[in-house]
Amino acid sequence: MAGERFYLPTEIVTGAGCFGELGRLARRFGRRALVIGSRGRLGLLERAAGLLTEAGIEPAVWAEVQGEPTLSAVEEARARAREAEAEVIVGIGGGSALDAAKAAAGLAHQPGAVADYHRGRRLEPGRNLPFIAVPTTAGTGAEVTRNAVLIDPERGVKESIRDDSWFPALALVDPELTLSLPPAVTASTGADALCQAIESYVSIGAGPLTDPLAAEAIRRIGRSLARAVEQGSDLAARSDMLYGSLLAGMAMTNARLGAVHGLAHPLGARYGIPHGTVCGLLLPYVMAYNLPAAAERYARVSALLGIDVSSLSMEAAAEQGVARVRALFQQVGIPSHLAPYGVTEDAFDALAAEALAQSSLHFNPRPLQAEDVRAILASAL
Ligand SMILES: [Fe+2]
């Protein structure tokens, strides 16, 4: 496509404490709400229910999101939404909870089974419920994207349902909600956020509207990831991370991603590696593969990560960025090899075929054939 299409219809409210505005902001969407999240954040879900009640909205709570969402989890959440006659869905949590809630809202009144739409059935317009997204991790940026990643255990497939009508109506982005995240989750979700920022910055779908968003995301996440992991109560570091992942989400939903995300889905589906972990693990290897095709872009990434590139050639500057990402991920405890997860060479052919079918892969700055994907996997083994 010549030119750049930038589409983001979500109202975004940011600021420490903005979660307290949930009731007031939700009122325009209806009188009955379903709050979706996981049991681990039950206290927060109940606080949301209280805020909604105070605003005259009748809340129901479905706290059964467990790990990355499966088709049956969404089927259950959707049934709960119908039963509660919800007029708005509120998703609270990390990427898994937000994607489950987004899919429940997007499929709320579609006539088919959730699995049908995962297999490509067309969505009928006007059958969504409005969706409010409240992220509690600085990771996926799901509060500003049009897709939900869902797992079909039967087919062993992890793929998105994606539609322009699935953008949240409202995102409440409150860094206070991330203060209690444990260090390991801060690290893996933050690795996903940095990966999304860098992939959308070097994507062939990047353009003048997404570049400043991705660049600022790289700058904020690069300077604050280690601090947020090591000093979780630091609100400034948490704000950098959450706004960084928000900006990366705004960039990637328009610029799209790259080979890391193309590979992350099959690896995640087959070996159960958490999304952020697999993204962080793969990012330095994919950057190294991409360097010859996008040295100038990666040199700018290095500068955004705080490296003084003034006396370096473009290639040397780009290489230093890879080293910086590797060192940063090592510092926060992101694993650097796939073998400990049970990945073996005899799975490479199947993984390469599945990765090549992922849309993300086609936005990678250096094109990949099956042998290139196998080589990346071999380097990461
Ligand atoms: Fe991601």
Side-chain angles (χ1 to χ4, degrees):
M1 179 175 75
E4 181 185 12
R5 174 185 186 250
F6 188 94
Y7 185 62
L8 181 57
T10 303
E11 176 183 351
I12 305 167
V13 177
T14 59
C18 72
F19 180 59
E21 300 292 304
L22 173 65
R24 183 179 66 80
L25 292 168
R27 209 175 313 160
R28 84 190 100 137
F29 298 113
R31 304 301 302 268
R32 282 180 303 277
L34 176 65
V35 180
I36 293 178
S38 69
R39 264 184 234 182
R41 301 305 299 255
L42 198 54
L44 195 58
L45 305 186
E46 280 166 358
R47 212 182 126 205
L51 290 165
L52 293 167
T53 305
E54 275 169 32
I57 302 165
E58 193 185 315
V61 175
W62 191 79
E64 304 301 325
V65 176
Q66 289 164 2
E68 295 176 17
T70 58
L71 300 182
S72 57
V74 174
E75 201 66 80
E76 232 183 284
R78 179 173 78 154
R80 188 74 187 92
R82 288 174 176 174
E83 181 190 300
E85 294 178 41
E87 293 170 332
V88 55
I89 302 282
V90 183
I92 302 177
S96 298
L98 295 190
D99 278 4
K102 187 187 289 178
L107 298 172
H109 296 297
Q110 293 290 340
V114 173
D116 298 344
Y117 301 99
H118 202 239
R119 287 172 193 180
R121 177 167 170 176
R122 272 177 60 128
L123 295 161
E124 291 181 18
R127 290 175 174 268
N128 299 22
L129 289 179
F131 172 47
I132 300 174
V134 185
T136 63
T137 66
T140 60
E143 67 275 15
V144 283
T145 65
R146 71 191 99 206
N147 68 302
V149 185
L150 306 179
I151 297 173
D152 179 354
E154 242 172 67
R155 292 189 297 150
V157 166
K158 181 171 179 179
E159 257 165 36
S160 281
I161 302 178
R162 178 178 281 110
D163 195 78
D164 271 357
S165 70
W166 281 31
F167 277 105
L170 171 68
L172 277 183
V173 185
D174 181 348
E176 280 182 2
L177 302 184
T178 66
L179 289 171
S180 61
L181 265 190
V185 184
T186 303
S188 62
T189 52
D192 183 28
L194 183 58
C195 184
Q196 292 177 171
I198 293 177
E199 287 216 291
S200 55
Y201 191 64
V202 303
S203 159
I204 61 167
L209 299 179
T210 57
D211 281 348
L213 301 169
E216 180 65 4
I218 296 167
R219 200 176 68 80
R220 283 178 183 261
I221 300 165
R223 78 180 176 194
S224 290
L225 173 59
R227 176 83 180 156
V229 171
E230 285 153 18
Q231 194 66 56
S233 60
D234 183 332
L235 185 64
R238 292 294 195 180
S239 301
D240 260 358
M241 290 303 299
L242 191 61
Y243 300 150
S245 66
L246 168 69
L247 291 162
M250 295 165 74
M252 78 166 181
T253 202
N254 289 287
R256 307 296 296 274
L257 292 164
V260 174
H261 276 78
L263 271 162
H265 287 177
L267 281 165
R270 279 171 174 260
Y271 301 98
I273 317 174
H275 178 72
T277 303
V278 71
C279 287
L281 193 159
L282 291 172
L283 179 60
Y285 299 104
V286 169
M287 288 175 80
Y289 170 82
N290 285 342
L291 280 182
E296 193 187 344
R297 282 261 141 182
Y298 281 113
R300 277 190 247 157
V301 168
S302 301
L304 291 163
L305 291 172
I307 297 168
D308 177 7
V309 297
S310 54
S311 62
L312 300 174
S313 69
M314 200 168 68
E315 287 73 19
E319 272 171 30
Q320 288 220 1
V322 184
R324 174 62 61 94
V325 168
R326 191 173 285 128
L328 178 59
F329 285 171
Q330 198 168 11
Q331 185 186 351
V332 299
I334 300 294
S336 52
H337 294 285
L338 290 168
Y341 293 96
V343 182
T344 51
E345 222 177 314
D346 51 12
F348 284 5
D349 283 343
L351 285 166
E354 288 164 26
L356 288 169
Q358 299 279 328
S359 59
S360 297
L361 208 84
H362 304 287
F363 289 85
N364 196 64
R366 185 176 172 193
L368 298 103
Q369 309 296 329
E371 68 253 34
D372 304 314
V373 177
R374 282 195 299 265
I376 291 170
L377 287 168
S379 68
L381 200 61

